[in-house]
Amino acid sequence: MQIIKATPSSKEIERICGREVAPSREIYNKVVDILADIKKGGYAKAVEYAQKFDGLKGKNIRVSEKEIAKSAAKCPADLQKALKQAIKNVRDFHQNQMEESWLMEGKDGVVLGQRIRPMKRVGLYVPGGAGIYPSTVIMNAVPALVAGVEDIVVVTPIKGEINRAVAFVLQQLGITEVYHIGGAQAIGLLAYGAKDSKGKTIVERVDKIVGPGNVFAAVAKKEVFGVVDIDMVAGPSEVLVMADKTADPDFVAADLLSQAEHGSGFEAAICITDDMETAQMISACVDVQVENSPKKELLQKVLDNFGRILVVKDWFDGVAIANKIAPEHLEVMTDEAESMAAQIENAGAVFIGHWSSEPVGDYFAGPNHVLPTNGTGRFFSPLGVYDFLKRMSIIRYSEKAIKKNAKAIAAVAMEEGFYHHAQAVLKRL
């Protein structure tokens, strides 16, 4: 693994921060065409695309509860136990994020406030091509359920039958509306809904779409934003490990490779250390683990592109670089881990100490693993209950209050050139 002496202004830091997977114009045009087809052609067109791209047999994209139950029954007992505990941990964590409505009383009988309501219907995209993702269902659906979302709709491309772990989680969470469809066509189905040839609604549109997907799904989510809400357009995964000489180099190497194995080739696996000897030991451990990995070629591609060990002169520079990169996952394996972690301003999730390996957060601990990538941790937050809530302002003015303030309100309205805004309050005098 390449070792580089670095400062916050190093060109290599700029290169890492600038990495992205930009969809080609060809992909973009295909996505736009698919979305237009789904919007116009409804259910029949959704079936057509699912048959063409997602392996659908027949003309029914709805996955029955019987199919889900059959597959869930095949989930091994030890895996069931682990998934149940993960669901509990995620639910316990997210219950702390719930917001409450509030009111405040002002002078002259004025009452102002905010009313919190959940979204009614949310669509969840669960990838089904290159991997199996029961954790995606847990991390996206549980906060929606805690928020009080009434309907959760799952779309997923299925190879053969629905995966046993995914099916088991769906059962545990009480999710029964599942469709065998993926890619841009799945996003279109969720965003626009679908009717049959007689105009009967088969699939109702959703209010928000969440969940990761391939490049077609990601581009489609971006295109339908505004028609529906979306969680984010996620980029390639990334991990940054801050390690000093107290860190176990084998632990650091393993955690770096945990994100490098995702497979796009644009993942970032970055280590920052203040000690050259530590850097060399970590590099050697990475080499050994890669050599013995069944994913050797994939890992090497990622490490060649965006796998770096950055040696800094001190931790002032180290923290500055970490905050500049704003990684999706940031691990702190240093002697003063707590105090150093407190200096981190930009990251999706911070893992503190030698035993807090990144996959603990991916699968089990409780905080959400849907995190901002590509430096967007500077302004985005992890997925949470708050993403499934709507906030409505409450305004109640009394007769006394409007008569006291009408002229002031009208003065502002007239300054902006809105005569009838002014008249609406002046009429009440």
Side-chain angles (χ1 to χ4, degrees), residues 221-252:
K221 282 172 69 176
K222 192 172 183 179
E223 282 299 300
V224 300
F225 176 59
V227 177
V228 294
D229 191 16
I230 63 171
D231 50 356
M232 63 183 75
V233 179
S237 188
E238 55 207 22
V239 63
L240 188 155
V241 182
M242 305 175 75
D244 63 14
K245 58 186 178 182
T246 67
D248 185 320
D250 217 31
F251 288 5
V252 177

Side-chain angles (χ1 to χ4, degrees), residues 188-420:
L189 180 69
L190 293 174
Y192 305 126
K195 297 181 178 181
D196 63 15
S197 58
K198 298 180 181 179
K200 179 183 177 182
T201 298
I202 305 298
V203 181
E204 290 186 22
R205 60 181 292 184
V206 301
D207 302 314
K208 183 165 188 164
I209 301 172
V210 298
N214 60 21
V215 64
F216 290 93
V219 173
K221 282 172 69 176
K222 192 172 183 179
E223 282 299 300
V224 300
F225 176 59
V227 177
V228 294
D229 191 16
I230 63 171
D231 50 356
M232 63 183 75
V233 179
S237 188
E238 55 207 22
V239 63
L240 188 155
V241 182
M242 305 175 75
D244 63 14
K245 58 186 178 182
T246 67
D248 185 320
D250 217 31
F251 288 5
V252 177
D255 291 357
L256 291 171
L257 296 182
S258 73
Q259 295 309 295
E261 73 170 330
H262 276 282
S264 76
F266 288 86
E267 290 76 17
I270 309 297
C271 177
I272 300 176
T273 183
D274 63 340
D275 180 68
M276 181 59 76
E277 186 178 351
T278 297
Q280 292 167 344
M281 288 191 293
I282 292 170
S283 179
C285 288
V286 168
D287 290 344
V288 171
Q289 291 184 30
V290 170
E291 186 62 35
N292 294 318
S293 172
K295 298 184 174 182
K296 179 180 176 180
E297 291 184 10
L298 182 152
L299 293 176
Q300 197 59 61
K301 178 183 177 183
V302 171
L303 295 178
D304 288 345
N305 287 337
F306 298 104
R308 298 292 184 270
I309 301 174
L310 308 176
V311 182
V312 294
K313 65 179 181 180
D314 55 44
W315 281 115
F316 291 105
D317 274 3
V319 169
I321 290 172
N323 281 323
K324 189 170 185 178
I325 294 174
E328 179 185 15
H329 310 99
L330 188 147
E331 295 185 6
V332 186
M333 292 194 208
T334 61
D335 186 38
E336 300 292 338
E338 288 285 354
S339 61
M340 187 171 293
Q343 299 174 57
I344 299 302
E345 301 290 339
N346 304 323
V350 181
F351 300 76
I352 303 172
H354 303 287
W355 307 104
S356 304
S357 178
E358 188 279 335
V360 174
D362 267 355
Y363 299 115
F364 203 73
N368 211 287
H369 80 193
V370 181
L371 303 168
T373 58
N374 281 86
T376 58
R378 294 175 292 114
F379 47 84
F380 279 152
S381 303
L383 188 73
V385 172
Y386 37 77
D387 287 297
F388 301 99
L389 297 173
K390 300 176 296 178
R391 300 159 188 85
M392 296 181 286
S393 297
I394 302 298
I395 302 166
R396 188 168 76 217
Y397 255 47
S398 65
E399 181 181 356
K400 182 179 180 181
I402 194 66
K403 288 183 175 180
K404 180 178 180 180
N405 295 290
K407 290 183 179 179
I409 297 167
V412 177
M414 289 300 292
E415 180 65 21
E416 292 189 351
F418 289 107
Y419 170 82
H420 290 287

Side-chain angles (χ1 to χ4, degrees), residues 21-67:
V21 182
S24 66
R25 175 54 58 177
E26 181 183 10
I27 289 176
Y28 176 81
N29 290 339
K30 283 183 178 179
V31 168
V32 171
D33 289 344
I34 290 171
L35 291 175
D37 280 350
I38 296 293
K39 185 176 182 179
K40 182 179 180 180
Y43 187 78
K45 187 59 70 171
V47 169
E48 182 182 320
Y49 275 113
Q51 291 171 335
K52 183 177 181 180
F53 295 119
D54 305 313
L56 176 69
K57 307 296 182 184
K59 295 185 178 181
N60 182 19
I61 58 174
R62 181 74 180 260
V63 182
S64 69
E65 290 185 53
K66 183 178 180 180
E67 291 175 87

Side-chain angles (χ1 to χ4, degrees), residues 90-91 94 97-98 137-149 368 383-386 388:
V90 174
R91 181 178 282 117
H94 285 82
Q97 296 179 339
M98 192 62 191
V137 183
I138 295 172
M139 293 293 180
N140 286 271
V142 169
L145 290 168
V146 171
V149 173
N368 211 287
L383 188 73
V385 172
Y386 37 77
F388 301 99

